[in-house]
Amino acid sequence: MKHSKSLYLFILPGLAIYLLFFVYPTINGLILSFSSWDGFSERKWIGLDNYTRMLTGDSIFVRAFQNNMKFMISVVVFQTILSLFFAILLTKNTKKNVIYRVLFFFPTIISSIAVAFIWGFMYNPNVGVINSFLGNIGLDALSNNWLGNPAMAIYSIAFVQVWAHTGQMIVLFVAGLQSIPEELYEAVYLDGANRWQAFRNVTWPLVAPAATIVVAYTTIQSFKAFDLIFALTGGGPAYSTEILSTYIYHTAFQSSEFGYAAAQSMGFMVIIAIVTIGQFKLLRGNRAY
Amino acid sequence: MKKWFSATVFMIALAMFVTGCGNNGNSSKPNENSSAPSKSASESPKSVDNEKEVQISFIHWRGEDTKVFNELIAKFEGENPKIKVEMSIFPSEQYLANAQAKLIDGTAGDVFASYPGAQFETMFKAGLYADLSDVGFKSKYTENLIKAGQKDGKQYAFPYQLVYNQPIYNKAIFEKLNLTPPKDWEGFLALCETLKSNGYVPIAFPGADIGPGQFMNSMMMNNNTDEEIWAKVETGQAKVTDEWFVKTLSQFKELNDKGYFQKDSLGTSKDIAGSLFAQEKAAMLATGSYMLASNLALNPELKQGLLAPITVAADQAVYEGIHTTTFLLGVSARSSKKDAAKKFVEFLSQAENAEKYANETGQLVTVNGVNYSTSELQETVSWTSKKTRFHPRYLISVAAIEKAVTSSIQEVIGGVDPVKAAENAQKIIDQNLKK
């Protein structure tokens, strides 16, 4: 079959949008990353200085990366396990299950700023409902300075992220679980398998492609969880919740170092790419089925 | 092949056209010599009565002043029917980020407000301020209160507000317990202990947001009286690991360890700390005079005063408090409506308008001849005769260093040893030293 070259014209609108809104800003950002620019005066070309500074002379960048990893691991582990657990319970399309799925999905459609406002109030150590509730049931010892304790704050925000996005992942897992043929379960139970063995040998291998998507999506989502952290703690106290995206924002818009912020963004892009590619490689084996 | 070639050429042309339309930091060619603003900028405001109607943009961050500014703008437009004022308000934390692009391309901010210190310096370097040295209304301001808007002997902006960045105290509680503002550190600790033993939170400290950056000023003002100290820290001539700053951090730790801040102060925001104070659960509020009006709105019965902790022996104290002149009103050097913009600044500089602004917002102003009608403002104005120091934190011009300093206070309150917290801050400062 002979293709007409004019067919390529059909990709032009999409290509134009891609070039303008993705390639051009990325290249512009890359060029900016080799400059010193305060956002007002003229740009000054400084070669690799921004990258040298980022890799060898910026302890906050390292700390932000560490916080990112803490946040990402907490969110990926708990969000994946919880969403799979609830998806298994809610696989069948009964009326009750659909209602539960809607309820679990509901936080996903609330804006991050509204979520931050709600949880900021709940976590408040002086007037928040969590500490009040714990106090009222005699568990005062468990009350905490959820967002003000530097050792605790990042995990408190990770909990909110899990709360807000588990419903979204449940939907992906339910779709994966519903595609597993019922006959496989009948066969494995006929062979005398218990529920755990059925999960291990049927459910998990066949839901693995959905798990791959969930893990990859959750990873990227947690790396870029800017709005929630910005609205809840702004990166504090004492950098304890500063992640790469909030740090880049602070570098650009508080320190007015746009060139350095662009270099940090490039580093951030590379980190996300490495983590995502690594995950895909690790989880690729799951696609054997 | 011909079609493919044509399509490629079209694509390149489209891309060049669209990118050419965008604004680029370089393309706008800001005043290359920022200390030499355009000539027209320094002329006196001309009459615009015979010209066609113009609309000027006024940008600032004070959402709480919306009502009074709307009233003042309505009055201004009544007096100047050919000039319309469009006000835009951006949140203070994102003010620079939001205002930046608009100010650069001159599409907004014919009149704009800015903070003193680092923000004023950045905007000045970018050549954004029109020279206002020769305007007639300069004489309406108190001369020694408009220095924050000066550079190289010229006036580029007029600080409109006079703020005292030191704790507010509840006069009724102090009177009830027979307490007076102390003269030294031992007296301050004794005062806090008395308040605590009588069931009050001695100091409501908004440690989650503005607290460290506000309270550090009065806590350090007598520990290091050198007004150039932060400039020295920024250039490596002084360090925060030096005795004076470790002492300041240790004093923060002492206040925290003795329970003189409310529980979990690092999780407390400005609003919550303000409500603890307004409910009279806390006897002091570690913010500044800018919260007097909002406290009163929450509790009209409050009787408030200002004090500052003296962190040294009484005979070593040099300063009694901290002041700032802020909300710097400037006219954009890139505005095409400078005359109308200057007319609006002139209008705000008139005593009767400044008086309305002051009395309705609870802020002192730098304009002469203003009568303050509220007891809070009268209390605050009494501080103009005291020996106060300009807000030290505003003299830190590198934002990363400022954040390292305030974070060290949060670290200490979070349990880190003051020496270690100072070392952590110094490490970040060393990475951001001014070259």
Side-chain angles (χ1 to χ4, degrees), chain B residues 275-383:
Chain B
S275 70
L276 282 175
F277 180 77
Q279 290 169 39
E280 306 195 62
K281 290 178 183 170
M284 289 181 273
L285 174 63
T287 56
S289 62
Y290 51 88
M291 283 190 74
L292 289 167
S294 56
N295 292 337
L296 202 64
L298 290 171
N299 180 359
E301 304 299 316
L302 270 183
K303 286 191 168 45
Q304 305 172 86
L306 293 169
L307 61 75
I310 305 299
T311 54
V312 293
D315 58 346
Q316 291 168 357
V318 174
Y319 296 106
E320 294 174 88
I322 299 288
H323 77 270
T324 320
T325 50
T326 184
F327 203 69
L328 277 65
L329 292 172
V331 169
S332 172
R334 293 164 200 205
S335 168
S336 57
K337 306 152 195 164
K338 289 190 191 70
D339 291 331
K342 280 191 260 185
K343 257 190 170 295
F344 182 59
V345 179
E346 182 178 19
F347 170 83
L348 293 176
S349 312
Q350 288 165 4
E352 59 173 303
N353 299 322
E355 188 170 304
K356 178 179 173 64
Y357 176 83
N359 289 324
E360 291 193 21
T361 60
Q363 306 291 333
L364 290 188
V365 288
T366 53
V367 174
N368 295 319
V370 168
N371 294 312
Y372 298 106
S373 60
T374 69
S375 57
E376 277 65 34
L377 285 172
Q378 283 158 6
E379 159 73 23
T380 312
V381 86
S382 69
W383 277 81

Side-chain angles (χ1 to χ4, degrees), chain B residues 139-309:
Chain B
S139 60
K140 293 184 185 296
Y141 289 88
T142 308
E143 199 179 338
N144 65 348
L145 294 179
I146 55 172
K147 287 178 183 161
Q150 291 170 356
K151 193 83 185 169
D152 303 332
K154 291 184 176 175
Q155 193 76 44
Y156 289 99
F158 291 100
Y160 201 51
Q161 295 177 352
L162 172 61
V163 171
Y164 289 93
N165 305 80
Q166 57 199 50
I168 302 169
Y169 72 96
N170 184 317
K171 280 186 164 178
I173 294 175
F174 272 49
E175 277 165 23
K176 187 174 130 193
L177 300 175
N178 227 356
L179 296 168
T180 52
K183 303 272 184 221
D184 59 18
W185 183 240
E186 292 309 316
F188 190 71
L189 292 176
L191 167 95
C192 290
E193 190 55 42
T194 307
L195 289 164
K196 189 183 169 193
S197 59
N198 281 279
Y200 295 102
V201 172
I203 308 165
F205 179 68
D209 45 40
I210 64 167
Q214 290 294 304
F215 200 30
M216 67 167 266
N217 298 298
S218 49
M219 288 290 283
M220 67 154 280
M221 67 183 180
N222 284 310
N223 287 347
N224 190 319
T225 54
D226 180 0
E227 299 224 37
E228 297 294 313
I229 185 60
W230 289 114
K232 289 176 181 169
V233 169
E234 285 182 326
T235 51
Q237 297 169 63
K239 292 184 182 296
V240 291
T241 47
D242 294 343
E243 188 270 338
W244 65 274
F245 192 70
V246 174
K247 179 185 174 186
T248 305
L249 289 179
S250 302
Q251 288 172 322
F252 265 104
K253 183 175 163 55
E254 190 172 8
L255 292 176
N256 185 60
D257 289 353
K258 289 183 170 168
Y260 298 156
F261 295 145
Q262 78 284 8
K263 189 172 172 282
D264 296 332
S265 62
L266 288 183
T268 305
S269 64
K270 178 186 86 169
D271 294 337
I272 299 293
S275 70
L276 282 175
F277 180 77
Q279 290 169 39
E280 306 195 62
K281 290 178 183 170
M284 289 181 273
L285 174 63
T287 56
S289 62
Y290 51 88
M291 283 190 74
L292 289 167
S294 56
N295 292 337
L296 202 64
L298 290 171
N299 180 359
E301 304 299 316
L302 270 183
K303 286 191 168 45
Q304 305 172 86
L306 293 169
L307 61 75

Side-chain angles (χ1 to χ4, degrees), chain A residues 205-227:
Chain A
L206 292 172
V207 86
T212 308
I213 296 168
V214 166
V215 170
Y217 187 75
T218 307
T219 303
I220 294 169
Q221 200 180 42
S222 57
F223 254 104
K224 293 162 76 178
F226 172 83
D227 35 11

Side-chain angles (χ1 to χ4, degrees), chain A residues 9 12 19 37 39-40 42-43 53 57 59-60 124-126 145 148 230 237-239 242 249-250 253-254 256 258, chain B residues 7 11 25-26 30 32 94 96-97 100 104 122 126 128 264 266-268 272 399 403-404 407 410-411 428 431-432:
Chain A
L9 284 173
L12 274 182
L19 287 172
W37 187 44
F40 288 105
E42 290 216 43
R43 292 183 193 181
R53 179 180 166 194
S59 52
I60 303 303
N124 191 292
N126 309 104
N145 188 5
F230 191 74
Y239 307 104
E242 191 86 280
Y249 176 87
H250 288 139
F253 296 109
Q254 283 188 349
S256 293
F258 287 85
Chain B
M11 268 300 305
N26 292 330
E32 284 172 15
Q94 290 114 49
L96 191 60
Q100 184 183 47
I104 286 174
T122 306
L128 291 178
D264 296 332
L266 288 183
T268 305
I272 299 293
K403 193 166 181 190
S407 290
Q410 289 182 320
E411 279 195 322
I428 298 165
Q431 291 166 350
N432 290 278

Side-chain angles (χ1 to χ4, degrees), chain A residues 112-150:
Chain A
S112 302
I113 299 301
V115 169
F117 184 79
I118 294 163
W119 281 91
F121 175 71
M122 293 191 26
Y123 277 144
N124 191 292
N126 309 104
V127 295
V129 293
I130 295 178
N131 281 357
S132 300
F133 174 74
L134 290 170
N136 288 339
I137 60 169
L139 293 174
D140 248 337
L142 292 180
S143 66
N144 208 309
N145 188 5
W146 304 102
L147 296 173
N149 179 348

Side-chain angles (χ1 to χ4, degrees), chain A residues 186-206:
Chain A
E186 287 169 12
V188 81
Y189 285 127
L190 271 177
D191 287 343
N194 58 26
R195 292 189 88 173
W196 168 245
Q197 286 167 323
F199 173 78
R200 220 181 116 209
N201 297 302
V202 177
T203 309
W204 178 245
L206 292 172

